[in-house]
Amino acid sequence: MKSVVISLARMTERRSLIARQFEAMGLGFDFLDAVDASQNEHIRLSRYDEGAAMARYGAPLTAAEIGCFASHYSAWQLCIERDESLAIFEDDVLLGSRFPQVLALAASRIDQHRLIRLFGKHNRRTRHLETLSAGYTLVRFQQGPIGTQSYCVSPDGARALLSKATLWNEPVDHYLDRFWLHRVASKAIVPYELEEMSRDILVGAIGARSHRRTGMAKFRRELSRQTDVMARLIYNIRHWPH
């Protein structure tokens, strides 16, 4: 399974750091140039619909969020073009000493499971799927863990993700978590052997939103959230544990 690292071409220090980590572990990879919102590259590639974002998310996406979605969208397209599974990374990760073992385990199972996450930002309830070697476990999330720092995807999984991503109305990690929409279950190998760098020290990080939703925006977001809760519950009941 090939690895690609999504990274802005101008972020040379970040590229050097991630390259050194892969090299130290004897892992090969290719850079996939991220869509650079600072250069308005996201505009020509975007499938973003601001009206839909306001209706669903209660706020417009930032240029950086649109660029991030476009970058992962490009990675899914690459997976299909190459007709091979890919391990996809963002360049703000730190690899643990046993990460190569986890990557090998994911590579041996990705065709069956279509999407295997190697990191998630939040702890969520999971269902045990398989006991793996070296103390690792394959699990399925009942609720997506948020984050696109690292995951593996098969061509079949990439096609499913692309099929429902014709219109972008939320950040890409939120979209990845909506498995009831694109039918790609959210699975992971735990414990993680990868962590996210501190956002405070990263130049070019998307960062947090500068304002809270109020009024109608807050209502729209809460309505979408509750709709998701029901859709997720129904999907989990119908498709659990596969």
Side-chain angles (χ1 to χ4, degrees):
M1 182 170 58
K2 299 291 180 61
S3 296
V4 296
V5 176
I6 296 172
S7 177
L8 291 169
R10 59 184 168 82
M11 293 297 180
T12 56
E13 290 187 9
R14 288 171 67 161
R15 287 194 164 200
S16 295
L17 178 58
I18 193 70
R20 288 196 298 270
Q21 293 184 71
F22 273 82
E23 182 180 355
M25 295 186 177
L27 299 174
F29 77 99
D30 295 317
F31 279 118
L32 177 62
D33 288 345
V35 176
D36 195 341
S38 72
Q39 302 299 316
N40 291 325
E41 292 177 355
H42 64 293
I43 295 175
R44 61 184 176 83
L45 298 171
S46 176
R47 294 171 178 262
Y48 171 56
D49 186 318
E50 184 161 305
M54 292 298 297
R56 168 168 174 75
Y57 194 56
L61 299 190
T62 66
E65 287 172 330
I66 299 170
C68 186
F69 205 130
S71 299
H72 284 272
Y73 189 94
S74 296
W76 304 337
Q77 289 178 317
L78 181 63
C79 179
I80 294 173
E81 291 168 7
R82 291 184 176 181
D83 193 28
E84 62 181 349
S85 298
L86 290 179
I88 299 169
F89 300 81
E90 294 179 351
D91 67 356
D92 58 347
V93 298
L94 296 172
L95 307 182
S97 60
R98 300 175 68 194
F99 182 77
Q101 294 176 261
V102 172
L103 191 60
L105 289 170
S108 67
R109 288 160 174 80
I110 188 59
D111 288 342
Q112 175 185 355
H113 295 286
R114 303 202 295 168
L115 176 72
I116 298 177
R117 305 177 83 137
L118 305 179
F119 180 78
K121 292 173 71 70
H122 300 302
N123 292 324
R124 304 293 197 195
R125 292 181 64 186
T126 61
R127 180 69 63 88
H128 176 278
L129 296 181
E130 182 184 359
T131 298
L132 307 175
S133 61
Y136 295 104
T137 304
L138 180 68
V139 300
R140 176 177 165 184
F141 290 101
Q142 296 187 43
Q143 178 182 353
I146 297 294
T148 50
Q149 283 75 19
S150 181
Y151 58 95
C152 305
V153 65
S154 71
D156 185 54
R159 278 188 287 269
L161 292 174
L162 288 172
S163 71
K164 298 298 182 180
T166 55
L167 180 150
W168 306 344
N169 58 10
E170 60 188 335
V172 66
D173 55 345
H174 290 221
Y175 172 74
L176 197 66
D177 279 351
R178 285 210 288 158
F179 47 81
W180 57 93
L181 174 66
H182 46 63
R183 308 288 173 166
V184 183
S186 194
K187 302 175 183 179
I189 293 176
V190 295
Y192 300 131
E193 288 292 340
L194 177 152
E195 60 184 276
E196 183 183 22
M197 294 181 191
S198 170
R199 310 302 284 176
D200 295 334
I201 64 173
L202 288 174
V203 177
I206 291 177
R209 291 184 168 273
S210 59
H211 62 277
R212 291 181 176 273
R213 298 178 182 86
T214 58
M216 184 56 68
K218 184 177 181 179
F219 172 78
R220 287 172 173 170
R221 180 55 180 151
E222 186 57 32
L223 179 61
S224 293
R225 196 190 307 275
Q226 294 305 316
T227 301
D228 285 348
V229 168
M230 291 304 302
R232 183 173 63 241
L233 176 63
I234 292 170
Y235 184 87
N236 281 336
I237 291 173
R238 288 178 175 176
H239 297 88
W240 206 256
H242 303 293

